[in-house]
Amino acid sequence: MNVIAVIPARYASTRFPAKLVQDLCGKPVIVRTYEAALQTQLFDEVFVVTDADEIEAAVQAHGGKVIRSQRHHESGSDRIAEAVADLEADIVVNVQGDEPFIAREPLEALLQAFREDVDQQIDLGSLMVAITDTTEIENPNVVKVVTDRMGYALYFSRSVIPYPRERVEGLRYMRHIGVYAFRKQALLDFAQWPMQPLEATEKLEQLRYLEFGKRIKMVETSHVGIGIDTPKDLEQARVMFSRQ
């Protein structure tokens, strides 16, 4: 099984412009993420995909591989689909560019689901973690997911799902973590489909896969990545990195 990691990297960011080229203990954030992906030893190749000269230069200056994204894209899946169209790959893993503390364990569990999928029933896989805090469950910025008994996603929503009309023993709420592993064909299919009403309403691209009948295998993890979204996050990351 040929597995590659792709790191979509945009220069612009609403909350923290140019965050991926900020210094993280001697190297840019995007380079630290690239190196962390390599260190997992799970991938045959690792690429950064970007349309920004600044990010390309930063990654190449440290020996990294870059694919230039030539077009504007509405979603991460679209950008990755363009990048991998001419690459040899069975599975494509989307690694977030602002998560330099990427861990091996949840990615390994995600890939193991594909290795065990001998009938190729899985089109793409993603991660989820149990949540119990009511504030988090009700927060529309926290995306929730519900699955069937086999662990395939039934729906993703910013709303509370399932709605607690009655208290049921054993019910758990699951937060979606936006780390994906795709069969290459699922990505290429996605790029050809128009946006549908559910995706447009919730602003969640994974709903497009469900609306067109793709199967999303959810893998539970206890590991939640540490992203860099603000200057304060970067300062905390520098402290953590220096401790390592």
Side-chain angles (χ1 to χ4, degrees):
M1 194 170 71
N2 187 300
V3 182
I4 66 173
V6 175
I7 309 173
R10 294 172 57 248
Y11 188 77
S13 173
T14 303
R15 286 189 286 178
F16 190 3
K19 65 180 180 180
L20 295 184
V21 293
Q22 299 297 313
D23 178 75
L24 179 54
C25 299
K27 294 181 181 179
V29 170
I30 186 63
V31 173
R32 292 296 189 190
T33 302
Y34 179 89
E35 292 178 343
L38 287 176
Q39 289 167 7
T40 66
Q41 298 183 330
L42 294 173
F43 309 114
D44 296 288
E45 297 275 6
V46 178
F47 300 95
V48 171
V49 179
T50 187
D51 57 1
D53 294 339
E54 297 89 345
I55 291 176
E56 179 181 28
V59 174
Q60 289 183 338
H62 292 86
K65 297 180 180 180
V66 178
I67 299 173
R68 285 301 294 248
S69 179
Q70 300 299 326
R71 299 191 301 270
H72 169 73
H73 294 290
E74 295 293 334
S75 71
S77 289
D78 288 312
R79 189 176 300 278
I80 296 171
E82 179 199 350
V84 305
D86 297 323
L87 296 179
E88 290 293 328
D90 297 308
I91 306 298
V92 180
V93 178
N94 176 7
V95 175
Q96 301 299 316
D98 60 0
E99 293 200 6
F101 300 100
I102 182 174
R104 175 186 170 93
E105 290 77 14
L107 294 176
E108 190 170 30
L110 193 55
L111 292 174
Q112 185 60 28
F114 283 91
R115 295 189 184 98
E116 295 172 357
D117 182 33
V118 293
D119 296 325
Q120 296 197 5
Q121 296 296 304
I122 301 172
D123 295 301
L124 61 154
S126 194
L127 298 173
M128 60 183 182
V129 62
I131 52 176
T132 57
D133 183 79
T134 302
T135 302
E136 191 173 10
I137 292 170
E138 295 177 349
N139 185 347
N141 293 317
V142 175
V143 178
K144 277 71 68 175
V145 59
V146 289
T147 65
D148 65 14
R149 294 179 61 191
M150 300 299 293
Y152 288 96
L154 293 172
Y155 193 65
F156 299 85
S157 184
R158 299 181 183 278
S159 299
V160 178
I161 53 171
Y163 179 80
R165 182 176 177 180
E166 294 185 10
R167 189 177 185 86
V168 177
E169 194 68 29
L171 177 66
R172 297 197 303 160
Y173 287 91
M174 307 302 295
R175 174 183 179 178
H176 178 220
I177 299 174
V179 176
Y180 293 95
F182 308 87
R183 292 200 190 277
K184 180 182 174 181
Q185 189 59 51
L187 273 171
L188 300 182
D189 290 344
F190 179 96
Q192 304 302 314
W193 297 327
M195 184 182 297
Q196 299 297 299
L198 294 179
E199 178 189 2
T201 300
E202 296 254 21
K203 294 297 185 286
L204 298 173
E205 68 178 78
Q206 60 268 40
L207 291 176
R208 192 185 310 182
Y209 289 100
L210 292 183
E211 289 184 89
F212 279 92
K214 295 295 187 183
R215 304 191 76 192
I216 305 177
K217 179 72 170 182
M218 301 302 301
V219 176
E220 185 173 352
T221 182
S222 59
H223 177 85
V224 179
I226 302 171
I228 297 175
D229 294 318
T230 66
K232 183 179 179 180
D233 293 338
L234 179 59
E235 290 303 321
Q236 293 175 339
R238 286 169 176 160
V239 173
M240 291 180 61
F241 210 92
S242 62
R243 289 174 180 169
Q244 290 183 353

